[in-house]
């Protein structure tokens, strides 16, 4: 974890100030009404804990972006949420990427936000970037949910990937060559899928400042 980051748990299995995300995560995993937040220093965290959660937790706001597209048929309206909701929707999938170098090997996973159970895991992919991995992971979650007929929310902590999803295209400078063939193959498949499919799922920005690290976090920060 980054130096100086502390986690306050106001509502959890145990409450208090924790110095690492795994310690915090152990107190909030599986708890629908858990309330926690990260702070940049221990004094700030201790003061926030004394203040109580109502002063510090759940102040984010959501923004919507609605796009209407027409293909060979009736007009299709698709709404994707960008920004942050004031509280966590636990009936959701959270996705995140783990990288070793950027570019470098990429792996990603999708987990049940409430339980932390891994729903899918891909990698390592030999050579890619964090942003491409985040984008592919979001689309993987949407495909996974559509196959199951589920309208669950998808969370990501990547603003770039959300922008690419909204625009249905990526803006990566990663070169296409033999070493990056796999990540680009998966990216192209993801772009094709979102161009050819619609979905009703919300795709939301995980509010790291308010809620701590995303539930699918690889813990490599």
């Amino acid at each position: 974890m980054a130096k100086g980051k502390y986690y306050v748990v106001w509502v959890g299995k145990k409450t208090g100030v924790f110095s690492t995300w795994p310690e915090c995560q152990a107190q909030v995993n599986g708890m629908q009404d858990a309330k926690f937040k990260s702070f940049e220093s221990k004094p700030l965290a201790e003061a926030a804990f004394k203040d109580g959660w109502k002063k510090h937790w759940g102040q984010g706001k959501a923004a919507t972006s609605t796009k209407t597209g027409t293909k060979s048929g009736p007009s299709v309206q698709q709404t994707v949420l960008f920004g942050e909701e004031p509280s966590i929707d636990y009936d959701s999938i959270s996705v995140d990427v783990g990288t070793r170098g950027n570019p470098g090997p990429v792996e990603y996973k999708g987990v049940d936000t409430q339980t932390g159970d891994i729903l899918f895991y891909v990698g390592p992919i030999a050579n890619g970037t964090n942003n491409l991995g985040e984008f592919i992971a979001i689309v993987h979650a949407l495909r996974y949910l559509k196959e199951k007929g589920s309208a669950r929310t998808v969370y990501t902590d990547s603003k770039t990937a959300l922008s690419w999803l909204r625009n249905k295209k990526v803006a990566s400078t990663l070169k296409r060559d033999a070493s990056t063939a796999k990540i680009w193959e998966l990216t192209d498949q993801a772009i094709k899928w979102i161009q050819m499919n619609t979905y009703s799922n919300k795709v939301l920005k995980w509010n790291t400042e308010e809620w701590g690290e995303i539930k699918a976090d690889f813990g490599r920060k």
Side-chain angles (χ1 to χ4, degrees):
M1 302 303 302
K3 290 183 178 180
K5 182 169 283 189
Y6 291 83
Y7 298 87
V8 174
V9 177
W10 291 283
V11 179
K13 297 169 187 175
K14 292 183 180 180
T15 62
V17 176
F18 301 88
S19 59
T20 69
W21 167 239
E23 289 178 301
C24 173
Q25 188 177 38
Q27 313 314 319
V28 300
N29 265 358
M31 294 196 63
Q32 185 169 352
D33 297 320
K35 292 178 174 60
F36 56 99
K37 182 180 176 182
S38 65
F39 293 85
E40 295 303 317
S41 71
K42 190 172 183 179
L44 286 174
E46 290 175 339
F49 180 66
K50 291 179 181 179
D51 288 341
W53 67 267
K54 290 184 179 180
K55 185 174 180 179
H56 297 276
W57 183 89
Q59 303 303 315
K61 294 182 179 180
T64 62
S65 173
T66 304
K67 298 183 69 177
T68 302
T70 304
K71 294 196 174 185
S72 57
S75 176
V76 176
Q77 188 176 65
Q78 180 171 290
T79 302
V80 181
L81 268 73
F82 298 89
E84 295 157 344
E85 288 194 324
S87 61
I88 300 170
D89 177 1
Y90 280 93
D91 186 21
S92 60
I93 290 179
S94 295
V95 299
D96 200 18
V97 167
T99 59
R100 297 190 184 279
N102 195 27
V106 174
E107 51 195 314
Y108 68 82
K109 61 184 173 181
V111 307
D112 184 295
T113 304
Q114 182 166 359
T115 67
D117 292 340
I118 297 175
L119 304 176
F120 55 82
Y121 190 108
V122 175
I125 304 162
N127 196 21
T129 66
N130 183 77
N131 286 334
L132 287 176
E134 297 275 11
F135 172 74
I136 295 166
I138 294 171
V139 179
H140 190 141
L142 291 171
R143 294 178 66 174
Y144 174 91
L145 292 170
K146 186 159 189 174
E147 289 171 1
K148 293 185 174 297
S150 173
R152 295 173 76 185
T153 294
V154 177
Y155 279 113
T156 175
D157 61 7
S158 173
K159 292 181 179 180
T160 298
L162 282 172
S163 174
W164 290 354
L165 181 72
R166 179 184 60 202
N167 295 324
K168 298 186 179 182
K169 61 181 181 180
V170 303
S172 174
T173 59
L174 184 68
K175 293 182 178 180
R176 290 179 181 258
D177 58 28
S179 71
T180 62
K182 185 61 178 180
I183 196 78
W184 275 114
E185 176 187 348
L186 294 174
T187 301
D188 292 340
Q189 289 173 357
I191 293 170
K192 183 177 180 180
W193 190 89
I194 60 174
Q195 290 176 344
M196 299 297 293
N197 290 270
T198 60
Y199 51 89
S200 59
N201 312 78
K202 295 178 182 177
V203 184
L204 300 176
K205 173 69 171 62
W206 180 263
N207 189 343
T208 305
E209 177 63 24
E210 298 290 333
W211 306 333
E213 300 295 345
I214 194 167
K215 300 296 185 177
D217 183 55
F218 278 78
R220 297 178 183 171
K221 296 177 178 63

